[in-house]
Amino acid sequence: MSETVHVGSGKVRELYALDDERLLLVASDRISVFDVVLPTEIPDKGRVLTGLSGFWFARTRELCANHLLAIRDDGRSSECRKLTMLPIECVVRGYLSGSGWKDYRETGEVCGHRLPEGLRESDKLAEPIFTPATKAQTGHDENITREQAAELVGAERLAEVERVSIELYLSAAEHAAGRGIIVADTKFELGLDEDGRLVLADEAVTPDSSRFWPADEYEPGGTQPSFDKQFVRDYCESLGWDKTAPGPELPEEVVAGTRERYLAAFEQITGIPFDDYAADPEVVLG
Ligand code: Q0N
């Protein structure tokens, strides 16, 4: 007999202990917009994110080991190795957006990377940059320099983390670009196994951990439409909602349109029909 103990929750995911060595990561269908979780769910969103993560874990296992042991038949639950997580968020940016754009505008730098003058919002960077952040328990993660990150994990480990993070981003971004999706930036969570080896954890290169932009609408010089959440954002903006909790309920056409966008992201990136994933989630593992 086994008890499944709840050990943590994010805005839209839950973590349970299976035993001393294994965790169960469950992706819900909840959606957040402007950092507020909405009362309306997007059917299949959790399965799409779990399937995409599995796809990337399988494709990048040569670049970095990962925590995935199995995807359960429900398509939303992953059995994972329990790791000792590093106390930093490993962010890689290929384009200038969000807090990267804000910091650049204010200082000409992002996390200690001095960038060329004259860049516009959403411009592609000459090379992707590693821009670590602290893990805020509440509120927003805060960007830190690589020197500050080195104090948290050690200089040698940080050099490995930076190299691996950039390789993972480039591999995924190149794959997605060939399928009409720009991965503007992404956040990895890395941990260490019993032997001190670096292991990729959490979700990987999903629309919740990354900015996905439709490549055919890319136009630097302003904010870009979100591949997945733009209908939800537009609807919320149309209400004049003040972006504090509780968020609004979504009408069924916004739910249906948004669900289609998640399924499109899954199918464009993996090349696998979503129905095939639903029938046998481990198809994404190749
Ligand atoms: C872990 N987080 C942060 C789910 C996501 N394999 C692991 N081993 C040990 N700890 C973690 C993992 C993983 N993945 C990751 N917290 C613990 C993100 N969580 C927040 C809660 O929801």
Side-chain angles (χ1 to χ4, degrees), residues 2 6 9 18 31 34 54 66 73 114 119 135 148 153 155 172 184 187 192 206 219 223 225 250 254 283:
S2 66
H6 188 230
S9 56
L18 291 173
I31 186 169
F34 309 120
N66 62 70
D73 286 341
R114 178 145 291 274
L119 294 177
K135 288 188 184 185
Q148 290 171 301
V153 303
K187 177 177 83 181
L192 305 179
T206 68
E219 209 177 305
T223 59
L250 301 176
V254 174
V283 289

Side-chain angles (χ1 to χ4, degrees), residues 22-160:
R22 296 180 310 142
L23 299 173
L24 190 70
L25 182 58
V26 182
S28 75
D29 290 338
R30 296 192 294 274
I31 186 169
S32 71
V33 63
F34 309 120
D35 272 336
V36 175
V37 177
L38 301 183
T40 312
E41 297 191 330
I42 307 299
D44 297 315
K45 173 175 177 282
R47 292 202 289 179
V48 162
L49 270 57
T50 300
L52 267 178
S53 290
F55 176 80
W56 295 122
F57 285 141
R59 278 186 51 95
T60 61
R61 48 184 300 183
E62 317 285 71
L63 297 179
C64 185
N66 62 70
H67 74 161
L68 184 64
L69 296 169
I71 302 177
R72 290 200 169 169
D73 286 341
D74 64 7
R76 71 167 73 250
S77 312
S78 306
E79 296 177 8
C80 306
R81 286 195 279 157
K82 189 201 259 178
L83 306 168
T84 302
M85 300 305 292
L86 298 181
I88 56 172
E89 306 280 5
C90 300
V91 178
V92 181
R93 301 170 187 276
Y95 292 75
L96 200 48
S97 181
S99 68
W101 166 242
K102 181 175 181 283
D103 292 351
Y104 169 75
R105 243 188 349 189
E106 290 168 5
T107 68
E109 296 187 3
V110 186
C111 298
H113 298 273
R114 178 145 291 274
L115 298 176
E117 282 176 36
L119 294 177
R120 299 162 298 172
E121 184 173 13
S122 308
D123 262 335
K124 186 176 189 182
L125 301 174
E127 305 284 347
I129 54 174
F130 178 69
T131 60
T134 56
K135 288 188 184 185
Q137 291 307 308
T138 55
H140 269 125
D141 296 341
E142 197 186 325
N143 287 340
I144 55 176
T145 63
R146 283 171 296 163
E147 287 69 32
Q148 290 171 301
E151 284 167 24
L152 293 168
V153 303
E156 211 175 315
R157 183 65 77 180
L158 187 74
E160 182 189 15

